[in-house]
Amino acid sequence: MSGSLRKPEPLIFELSRPGRGATAQHPAAEPGGEVPAGYRRRGLPPLPEVSELQAVRHYTRLSQLNFGIDTHFYPLGSCTMKYNPRACNALAMLPGFLGRHPLADAATGQGVLGCLFELQEMLKDVTGMAGVSLTPMAGAQGEFAGVAMIRAYHRARGDLTRTEIIVPDAAHGTNPATATMCGMKVREIPTRPDGDVDLAALDAALSPATAGIMLTNPSTLGVFERRIVEIARKVHDAGGLLYYDGANLNAILGKARPGDMGFDVIHMNLHKTFSTPHGGGGPGSGAVGVGQWLLPHLPVPVVGREGERYRWLDERDLPDTIGRLSGFMGNTGVLLRAWVYMRILGAAGMRRVAEYSTLNANYLLARLVEAGFEAACPGRRASHEFIVTLRREARQLGVTAMDFAKRLLDHGYHAPTTYFPLLVPECLLIEPTETETREELDGFVEALIAIRREAATDAAAVKAAPHTMPVRRLDDVRAARQLDVAWKPEVA
Amino acid sequence: MSGSLRKPEPLIFELSRPGRGATAQHPAAEPGGEVPAGYRRRGLPPLPEVSELQAVRHYTRLSQLNFGIDTHFYPLGSCTMKYNPRACNALAMLPGFLGRHPLADAATGQGVLGCLFELQEMLKDVTGMAGVSLTPMAGAQGEFAGVAMIRAYHRARGDLTRTEIIVPDAAHGTNPATATMCGMKVREIPTRPDGDVDLAALDAALSPATAGIMLTNPSTLGVFERRIVEIARKVHDAGGLLYYDGANLNAILGKARPGDMGFDVIHMNLHKTFSTPHGGGGPGSGAVGVGQWLLPHLPVPVVGREGERYRWLDERDLPDTIGRLSGFMGNTGVLLRAWVYMRILGAAGMRRVAEYSTLNANYLLARLVEAGFEAACPGRRASHEFIVTLRREARQLGVTAMDFAKRLLDHGYHAPTTYFPLLVPECLLIEPTETETREELDGFVEALIAIRREAATDAAAVKAAPHTMPVRRLDDVRAARQLDVAWKPEVA
Amino acid sequence: MPYIPHTPDDVRAMLERIGARSLDDLFDEIPPALLVPSLPGVPDALSEMDVSRLAAERAAADGRPLNFIGAGAYEHHIPAPVWALVTRGEIYSAYTPYQAEASQGTLQIMYEYQSMIAGLTALDVSNASLYDGASALAEACLMAVRAHRRSKSARILLPETVNPAWRRVVRAITGGQGLQLDTLACDPASGRIDPASLAAHAGEDVTALVVPQPNYFGQLEDADALTRWARANGALVIAAVNPTSLAVLKPPGEWGDGGADIACGDAQPFGVPLSSGGPYVGFMACRMEHVRQLPGRIAGRTVDLDGRPGYTLTLQAREQHIRRAKATSNICTNQGLLMSAATIYLALVGPAGLERVARACIARTSELVAALTRLPGVRAAFAGPRFHEAVLKLDRPVAPVLAALAGEGIIGGHDLARDYPQLGDALLVCATEMRTRADVETYAKALGRLLGRAAAA
Amino acid sequence: MPYIPHTPDDVRAMLERIGARSLDDLFDEIPPALLVPSLPGVPDALSEMDVSRLAAERAAADGRPLNFIGAGAYEHHIPAPVWALVTRGEIYSAYTPYQAEASQGTLQIMYEYQSMIAGLTALDVSNASLYDGASALAEACLMAVRAHRRSKSARILLPETVNPAWRRVVRAITGGQGLQLDTLACDPASGRIDPASLAAHAGEDVTALVVPQPNYFGQLEDADALTRWARANGALVIAAVNPTSLAVLKPPGEWGDGGADIACGDAQPFGVPLSSGGPYVGFMACRMEHVRQLPGRIAGRTVDLDGRPGYTLTLQAREQHIRRAKATSNICTNQGLLMSAATIYLALVGPAGLERVARACIARTSELVAALTRLPGVRAAFAGPRFHEAVLKLDRPVAPVLAALAGEGIIGGHDLARDYPQLGDALLVCATEMRTRADVETYAKALGRLLGRAAAA
Ligand SMILES: Cc1ncc(COP(=O)(O)O)c(C=O)c1O
Ligand SMILES: Cc1ncc(COP(=O)(O)O)c(C=O)c1O
């Protein structure tokens, strides 16, 4: 509860007093745990010393400073902030699942392995792919796995010249960053004003050096790439493979499948499309799917079934794997949440995700355009998200997308994604998701209209927003210049 | 997060739309569940129709409007608002405990019965009583059980004339109300200015009609009744029994025992002394303990041990029981929480509860007296709580205890108990509990000083407090006069 | 020092400020003879880790057998959000909302709960919970006596078809106030209130008639006729109802001519786990004319200084902290957390969901009865419409059969031998929406095996 | 429609506003040939109740055997508040804190976490998590190459005593960038890095030396000497450490002369359940001079317009969403929830508690080794100081022994046959503070029985 006379919540270190502690959490002191002198730490580590109540109260209060899906409409474009069903969390955290050591005998893990196997099968179906590996721990690691498989594929065929990955300028930053991590060169190609890929530029970019192309479809501009089949043909003809960045899979789930479009490899963001919670930054899961020809390169482990029994397949089963991306099996707990989600939604529910997220996006777009806001790709259908450009408002009122975003917080709405994709000036990338009501969307439209009205009469108020958050606008420049990234005990 | 431009949280009914629903929660529709016409309800009940996200968001937001121990210092006198250890909740909610039907074979309940048996034994020891029954569901029901046992005791001896219960004027309202519920007449006796019982008045009240006396010790004035042994002798000599209202047991836990003081029967508030959470109003547990001579009258069921096995003892085992106070076994889940709490604290921890809650109270009292506030019982040691009277502030500044209480909310502190006990004018009954830090107490003192200072310069601001809560001061008179206690669908 | 934050420095400084030399000094008003040196009956402290292990072992020992008992506590699905929400610290660790401005969350939930209970029962006003269904019925009887000023008898007609544990509780709680509890017999053919037993009271000064719906045996009483009888005989009607059933059964407010006066029961089926018997949550609703006799907390909607809506505890003059010896009840702490759970349960399940739950219960219990009565030696005790419980008669004593089933992980029902010896070898069974067809078959097979094996032996 | 709030009226009105006739219309930019009619591989929907039952059965099938494996994932007590707090909706359902003003909770937790990790490692700066320990080590190798501008070789010395799974991950992740990973052999006598193997690289252009502490076998490496060697040979030092051990072991920032440059590992032991392998939480800290090469999110403290303190994501120019192809890493989503859990864990356990945990681990593992090596046919592979793991040598192949133990509900350790054939029949065991003396005895008895029985047969 903000707005009180209470001071800002101190750091946990500031609550600390020497000799205090949540001692119920201390195991009994026992003899025998000595460390030889040369290896020993001098003194105790500088951790806070607080009571259990202090810790509980501190983190409860801190949590209240956050917006989350559970508290606010959170139309953060490209992030699919839909309801994270509580059942997914509750069931993934059953003691039998939580307590299992990853290296324990597979005989003691048939329950979890069964769930993961089913998840692999379901994800194959929704993507139209021949095989799935669940191990990548987020979208970006899925991308890494994908590009690494593309690389492995070419190498396995003895084709060592393919060192370029084509990436549209609208692509998410992880796409080019991933290509670099895989040792590839990035070739950027422009996007047309209508949001589709510039085919001429694509033609120009394709060459014997082309390893592949990374595409998001629907793109980060919120539109479906209509000539995807043609693009696939062109890339394949050039000897390259197609990578599908699945961050926007929500928009077509159960309606259309990347595999059918000609993609060779795909990652899914289970923390987006399959609604595992984002946890203020993670964990996610970037499960990958591949066509037949990439199956040998899937990252391990993968769950295999032999008769009635499940077991991990590893390097010994898949000698041409790109290898292992995590110490054990990726973010298993996230995978269990996705399994619960898919089982509750079922096949028909998958399709509804696409239908209603698209309905919400197009409705919101229609209402905003009616209200005089400018769509970035006018005349196009929105996918599950769309872009509004506030360049006119910026020019006429001097109020930027950032200002709108901050003022929205005061209205009780999380801001859309701002300034991404970079090619659209003053852009708001808005993704309402299928789990929001029409009333919530209407309220959001009214808030944007109110802010624009306010900007016309009192631009300063908008530019100084937010006014009702726990802090006012923060000095990011100072944060970077006078770097303060770890608390240091005061010198007494 | 308050203070935003967001409207107040609507009622769940106002979020409802016909045909909406959290359908993952609906079991599959199946044939065969028909009700014959004459018994059938016309149409569906008027419950809200909302999505799962709407419900989660609504109740999450509502929760944020509350103060709780987990968010604020909550020195509500007589309520022992100390930290409710999360372990107690987590362990009481293990699936094996949660799923058990109360009437299932005792063979399938040895785990829970074992915990309850141990709890009975531990409570016997901390109270100095010969037997304990865990079934009463809150303090008031424990009182009921106690007075009913006193009644049963006299009746069993053929003494039918004892129809009066003596209650000090400082007693909690449940004491006289309970006596009435048991068919007893209440005789109120005054309390002396120093907080002790007026012995002359007691003498005058004692008679052959005396069934017993109900005492809280330390009393609701926050002081220990010094002549308790004398009082016990007097009451016993008059043929009456002594009832101990255990709401303040926290103050003497492990230091002194009601049984040793001469009490014949006691209830404990497990939701206070043994820190099970209060849940915004309950559940509690009012376990009762009795001396040897009242054992036959204990309410059933009680857990018995036979060799290595536990079982419920019921009316067949205890034919002179006062009977059954709940459909099954009281608030078992609360009892499990108390069991966890006691096992984690252990014997030494019990004593520390008394020591540190008393330390905190006396420190807070000392600081407030230094700051010029008036103690209700000057010169007395505080128990785990104490009373400050603001009669001087009310007279000089026109600002009441209620005003101080409301303004404290703005400072981030829950208010102490106000206007109880009734005999102290403008009283604040302050109970800091042992789980609060000295810094928190210091902050509270500073807030009270700041409010008094503010009252001197701007009494109106204090009288209009709170200013930073989700609502401003509420119209209680209107609430009672224009009764609106259930939402009614608007007539369309 | 578990949960205590004091450092040695704190203690020293605080004692100094108080002017005491030691912690023991703080207890110097307690007669020294009363101070105890130790607590031999309380074991030494364990860490949270150690207690967790112990508790986990005990909970595992209790296991999760397949349950076919109802008898007042019902195993329903609890939507995952319910307990995730009510265990949020702001709900879980708050007190009764005495400071309304800092408790709007709890108060609004109370108001919503009251609205839902009023809606389900078709009565005007609900309190914000009593302890449990049994004690709620006891309070209802006391309330009826207060509310029915013209009746001088304090006579309550309490049918044998009411849960026997609840009847015991009514006796224990109302005993001191001299209520006259007259039992109405059960018709052994129908498993419902014997009309003759009721007719015997015609013309008497009856304060109230208790009508269970469904009754303890799961059978539906003729609530309309019973309510009409009560009206005709000047008695109030107390409905003791299963709340889930209200999704499909005629609500008390619409019974007979003019409806019941008071409805009560246990809202445990609404999101509250079985948990070996509690905490559950008693509910009570009544017609507006009786509101001042209603026991327990009530939240009301009002406005704040700015005229904005807000919630507060209201009609407190009924309660012990104001009215003391003259209060409507001694209840203070109630079952707030469970009340919140029930509210969230109902918000999630909604009208259509609750109807589905109720229908699934009826359907599954019918299947259970059909499957078990196909076995030789098992028959249904009563015909007639029922909700989600049924009485079966076996051809042999029930207890050993249940013990044998428990050995196979099946809790096969509740033995009625103690409470209804007149019914012979009778077993009360229940199947909610949680029991699958396969569960029913599992039970039927196991019982068939047992009965067959015993027959063969 | 699970989780979808639209009523038929909504759909109608919304389509009208859009100017579409049907939901299908909304997909009219997708080439019709690409539309699929159905998903045969996804089963039909189940209710939450049905999935709960299914999940509960599967989880119960996995049970909770007595675990003696560590090998990169450690079973520690998780204080009850940890998950009650991090699953609060405001933490659980928030995104990466891009809107700082509406995310101060997450950001302050990140800052606190960074401070704790910096304090534990005795280094200057920590990021706010990477995926897991294995990938953190891979990122550390890539970072060292970027940070060590003078070194041209991109040569990393990666000892055999580093977790073999982590080494595989390093290979997979750094492969594309052409790092040269040279293995340092393990001395089979000490179970530590073979000094000869290290000496062979003296004078080479080595970019960085990886120092595991404790190493995969639980043995303590001579971190001081290794760090000094690296300094002397112009190489950076990457410490791969168990975070619990830092309560008692010399922290990387104080190793040798001047300390390690980068420390990384998995913070799973801090409040994160085993959960069959994840999600865990990689940590990484470094000296301030390398901060611009650090991958991952970093929260910084700054001030708002009123000059009040607040937190924000900082140094974003390192990251992919700004620097794109030139970013320090492609990481975007990290392990925020687990980072929060680790922070709360450390706040609860505190310095004294963490020391107790670390000492209990050492003590219990010593007891385990003592108990098991008392059995004939079992001996300790290595002497020398260790943390909470140890390698045992059996007189027979390990796999069948482990399988037999699993049959008795004991997960007896990790078989090293695949990764370290040179060690013979070697078994890696671990006992944390969660294993009691009785557990150790249970294991010893079972193993004794098994070995004896086999010997007798
Ligand atoms: C379009 C797109 N691609 C890739 C990613 C990277 O996914 P992750 O954050 O899970 O690594 C994102 C995430 O924001 C994204 O929006
Ligand atoms: C002194 C005293 N006695 C009795 C009670 C009644 O206990 P309960 O609320 O658990 O019924 C209370 C509770 O506030 C109390 O403070």
Side-chain angles (χ1 to χ4, degrees), chain A residues 271-465:
Chain A
H271 47 302
K272 297 180 179 179
T273 313
F274 301 96
S275 207
T276 69
H278 210 278
S285 168
V288 286
V290 296
Q292 202 70 40
W293 43 100
L294 289 177
L295 281 176
H297 307 300
L298 276 176
V300 291
V302 175
V303 185
R305 180 164 63 182
E306 286 164 357
E308 291 291 283
R309 304 203 35 85
Y310 301 99
R311 73 168 178 88
W312 294 121
L313 306 180
D314 63 20
E315 295 87 349
R316 290 165 291 192
D317 304 286
L318 286 159
D320 293 327
T321 173
I322 57 159
R324 202 170 270 271
L325 304 175
S326 71
F328 299 101
M329 174 36 181
N331 288 336
T332 312
V334 177
L335 303 171
L336 285 173
R337 286 169 176 79
W339 175 81
V340 174
Y341 180 76
M342 293 187 82
R343 294 303 306 261
I344 289 180
L345 259 61
M350 298 286 109
R351 292 171 70 84
R352 280 195 298 258
V353 163
E355 289 169 351
Y356 289 88
S357 62
T358 303
L359 176 65
N360 272 1
N362 280 284
Y363 173 73
L364 197 49
L365 173 60
R367 286 223 45 197
L368 287 173
V369 169
E370 271 178 45
F373 289 97
E374 185 183 352
C377 302
R380 296 292 309 263
R381 281 275 184 236
S383 66
H384 68 321
E385 63 188 354
F386 62 90
I387 295 178
V388 159
T389 166
L390 299 174
R391 57 181 169 182
R392 203 163 51 210
E393 287 77 4
R395 205 175 49 233
Q396 293 173 355
L397 307 171
V399 166
T400 65
M402 173 72 84
D403 299 326
F404 268 83
K406 297 297 183 198
R407 191 61 175 142
L408 271 172
L409 304 179
D410 288 330
H411 282 267
Y413 297 102
H414 194 280
T417 296
T418 52
Y419 304 102
F420 171 75
L422 293 164
L423 51 150
V424 182
E426 299 302 333
C427 79
L428 295 180
L429 177 56
I430 304 173
E431 181 182 5
T433 85
E434 70 276 13
T435 61
E436 295 293 339
T437 62
R438 179 180 159 207
E439 303 95 275
E440 200 74 53
L441 308 184
D442 289 340
F444 180 74
V445 171
E446 279 148 33
L448 279 175
I449 294 172
I451 296 170
R452 191 177 51 191
R453 200 182 309 121
E454 186 181 21
T457 58
D458 185 3
V462 178
K463 295 198 76 62

Side-chain angles (χ1 to χ4, degrees), chain D residues 185-200:
Chain D
C186 164
D187 170 4
S190 69
R192 313 206 300 183
I193 296 169
D194 182 351
S197 169
L198 186 64

Side-chain angles (χ1 to χ4, degrees), chain A residues 230-243:
Chain A
E230 198 177 339
I231 292 173
R233 196 185 28 77
K234 282 178 189 288
V235 175
H236 283 150
D237 285 352
L241 297 184
L242 282 89
Y243 182 87

Side-chain angles (χ1 to χ4, degrees), chain B residues 131 225-226 246 324 341 354 367 379 381 451 468 471:
Chain B
E225 172 58 60
R226 291 168 289 193
R324 203 170 268 272
Y341 180 76
R367 287 223 45 196
R381 282 273 184 237
I451 295 170
T468 61
V471 291

Side-chain angles (χ1 to χ4, degrees), chain C residues 131-151:
Chain C
Y131 302 131
D132 72 349
S135 66
L137 179 56
E139 290 276 13
C141 294
L142 293 172
M143 173 176 166
V145 172
R146 290 191 303 273
H148 197 338
R149 298 248 174 75
R150 272 175 299 114
S151 169

